[in-house]
Amino acid sequence: MIKAFASSFVPSESKNRLRLCTFFIAILLGAGAYFIASEFITKEMFRWEAFYPARNVKSSTCKNRCRPPGSESLPEGIITKTSNFEFHPLWGSSVQNKMLKMSKNLLAIAVGIKQRRVVSKIVEKFPRDNFDVILFHYDGVVDEWRDFAWSSRALHVSALNQTKWWFAKRFLHPDIVAEYNYIFLWDEDLGVENFNPKRYVSILKEEGLEISQPALDPVKSKVHQLLTARKTGSKVHRRFYNFKGSGRCNANSTAPPCTGWVEMMAPVFSRAAWRCTWYMIQNDLIHAWGLDRQLGYCAQGDRTQKVGVVDAEYIVHLGLPTLGASHDNVEPKMDNRVKVRMQSSLEMQIFKERWTDAAKKDKCWIDRAQTQAEHAAA
């Protein structure tokens, strides 16, 4: 009995020892694997900790870079942000001559074929080396302009019965005209016998004018606002004095039409002033009445100093009624000029209401013109 018990106990005890040894061996192997793995993990964590801060710094730097919307997927060096209306040859490298390119300005005119002789005289006054030309054809007629030698150097854009402000909003985007120093946005009914564009630009630079117009010959011109009439013997004037009636203007006047104002027939904008003005032009208000009274906000400073009328280089406003008149190529013949004037007045009221509403709602906007006026009064 004792023998049988002993013989049955021995194998059971051996099995327990074997299991115990296996357990300890497993613990030792697990510990070794743990220490090896922990050392590897520590090294990897150190490497990633060193990597991620660098990556985060790069990410932060990239976020701070100002990129044009839509260009984020492109390398920055390939992005061309601006353009112009200068023509390029189909062969021969224009890149080689880039350093020799002269600083240019832009002449943009809304034209109809009936005024082609007047327009031709205007374009001929603007030298090719200093000015690019774009014509906005509101009567749809383009081919007939080929009779003029300068026509091939001008860019022609045609859209029936649209105003120059409609064209300007759609084809003179600030990024497109950003390489031009000054933008001449003119009507077609202007006499330029006494006007020299190069001297005019020189005066703008000397006087620091951001928004301007040539003075009007008071004898030959149709003058709507006395501020625009030429002062004999003067180079530039910035204000008008009127001591009679309701619209009085004196030395303390800070608002249009006493000062800081030009008419919309022949305005000239600096690059910076045009960028601001373009945003102010409404998509649906194509006559731009009322816009002239707010142009001072785009003058890049004090409008009483940065906006002016140039007397030394003056023009004649012929006052031809073109908008709404029938074109030779359109049937039936109609005269809608009265309707055009009514629409212009309506748009002026709409723009005025939009401005008032926008100024009221924008809590961050500062009326700098009003601030300057209050400062001057004090």
Side-chain angles (χ1 to χ4, degrees):
M1 186 78 175
I2 296 173
K3 260 179 158 185
F5 177 78
S7 62
S8 64
F9 176 77
V10 172
S12 178
E13 185 178 356
S14 298
K15 287 180 181 180
N16 290 335
R17 287 178 179 174
L18 180 61
R19 289 173 183 169
L20 190 60
C21 289
T22 303
F23 175 72
F24 282 116
I25 291 171
I27 291 176
L28 290 173
L29 290 175
Y34 170 78
F35 286 117
I36 293 172
S38 64
E39 184 177 358
F40 174 78
I41 291 171
T42 302
K43 288 181 178 179
E44 286 299 302
M45 288 180 65
F46 178 79
R47 185 171 70 86
W48 283 104
E49 284 175 0
F51 171 75
Y52 271 114
R55 186 177 180 181
N56 289 337
V57 168
K58 181 179 179 181
S59 176
S60 176
T61 302
C62 293
K63 286 181 180 178
N64 291 334
R65 277 165 36 184
C66 184
R67 302 289 295 272
S71 69
E72 294 83 1
S73 62
L74 304 176
E76 187 174 19
I78 204 65
I79 299 170
T80 301
K81 299 179 182 179
T82 63
S83 187
N84 55 40
F85 294 124
E86 187 175 349
F87 293 170
H88 295 284
L90 288 175
W91 58 88
S93 176
S94 60
V95 177
Q96 296 176 358
N97 299 325
K98 188 174 182 180
M99 298 301 294
L100 301 176
K101 188 174 71 174
M102 296 182 64
S103 177
K104 280 195 171 185
N105 310 287
L106 178 67
L107 170 65
I109 319 177
V111 302
I113 195 64
K114 288 183 178 180
Q115 273 63 248
R116 59 186 178 275
R117 301 297 174 190
V118 178
V119 172
S120 181
K121 290 180 180 179
I122 295 174
V123 176
E124 288 171 354
K125 277 281 186 173
F126 287 74
R128 182 171 189 166
D129 290 343
N130 301 98
F131 291 88
D132 286 338
V133 177
I134 180 169
L135 299 185
F136 299 133
H137 299 274
Y138 60 77
D139 60 356
V141 179
V142 178
D143 290 344
E144 284 81 346
W145 291 86
R146 293 180 180 177
D147 295 341
F148 299 106
W150 51 261
S151 181
S152 60
R153 78 175 178 97
L155 180 65
H156 300 265
V157 178
S158 177
L160 198 61
N161 289 328
Q162 300 305 309
T163 71
K164 72 176 179 181
W165 299 102
W166 182 93
F167 284 106
K169 185 64 175 179
R170 287 149 184 83
F171 299 101
L172 300 184
H173 187 279
D175 290 345
I176 296 297
V177 299
E179 295 187 15
Y180 298 111
N181 292 325
Y182 294 96
I183 293 92
F184 291 64
L185 187 58
W186 281 16
D187 288 351
E188 60 186 330
D189 58 341
L190 304 175
V192 292
E193 181 180 350
N194 299 294
F195 183 78
N196 183 305
K198 292 180 70 174
R199 285 203 296 263
Y200 184 89
V201 168
S202 178
I203 292 172
L204 298 187
K205 294 178 179 178
E206 291 173 6
E207 296 289 330
L209 294 177
E210 298 284 335
I211 300 174
S212 65
Q213 73 160 80
L216 303 182
D217 186 318
V219 178
K220 300 179 181 180
S221 296
K222 188 173 183 178
V223 179
H224 298 293
Q225 295 288 343
L226 292 177
L227 176 64
T228 63
R230 181 181 180 234
K231 292 185 176 181
T232 306
S234 168
K235 183 166 71 171
V236 171
H237 71 270
R238 294 174 170 84
R239 60 173 58 249
F240 165 69
Y241 295 93
N242 179 30
F243 302 104
K244 298 179 180 180
S246 58
R248 297 188 180 186
C249 298
N250 54 47
N252 294 324
S253 300
T254 59
C258 298
T259 186
W261 186 85
V262 298
E263 204 163 358
M264 304 305 274
M265 75 183 73
V268 181
F269 303 90
S270 70
R271 181 190 300 112
W274 175 249
R275 180 170 288 276
C276 172
T277 301
W278 185 88
Y279 285 110
M280 197 194 305
I281 300 171
Q282 307 292 288
N283 271 344
D284 56 332
L285 306 182
I286 63 172
H287 293 288
W289 278 28
L291 193 74
D292 50 1
R293 288 185 173 269
Q294 308 299 350
L295 283 182
Y297 288 96
C298 292
Q300 311 302 300
D302 186 349
R303 66 184 177 189
T304 65
Q305 298 300 314
K306 298 291 186 177
V307 182
V309 178
V310 177
D311 300 297
E313 299 297 329
Y314 59 99
I315 58 177
V316 175
H317 180 212
L318 302 175
L320 302 176
T322 56
L323 294 176
S326 289
H327 309 307
D328 292 338
N329 58 328
V330 176
E331 295 292 344
K333 303 296 183 183
M334 293 179 294
D335 189 345
N336 294 310
R337 284 174 290 181
V338 173
K339 293 181 180 179
V340 168
R341 191 169 186 85
M342 290 175 62
Q343 180 64 27
S344 300
S345 299
L346 175 62
E347 290 191 5
M348 179 170 63
Q349 183 61 33
I350 293 173
F351 179 78
K352 183 179 179 180
E353 291 173 358
R354 286 183 185 178
W355 181 278
T356 302
D357 186 56
K360 187 182 300 182
K361 289 182 178 179
D362 191 346
K363 303 302 180 183
C364 297
W365 181 64
I366 299 173
D367 190 342
R368 290 184 169 83
Q370 182 64 32
T371 302
Q372 290 170 355
E374 292 173 354
H375 178 73

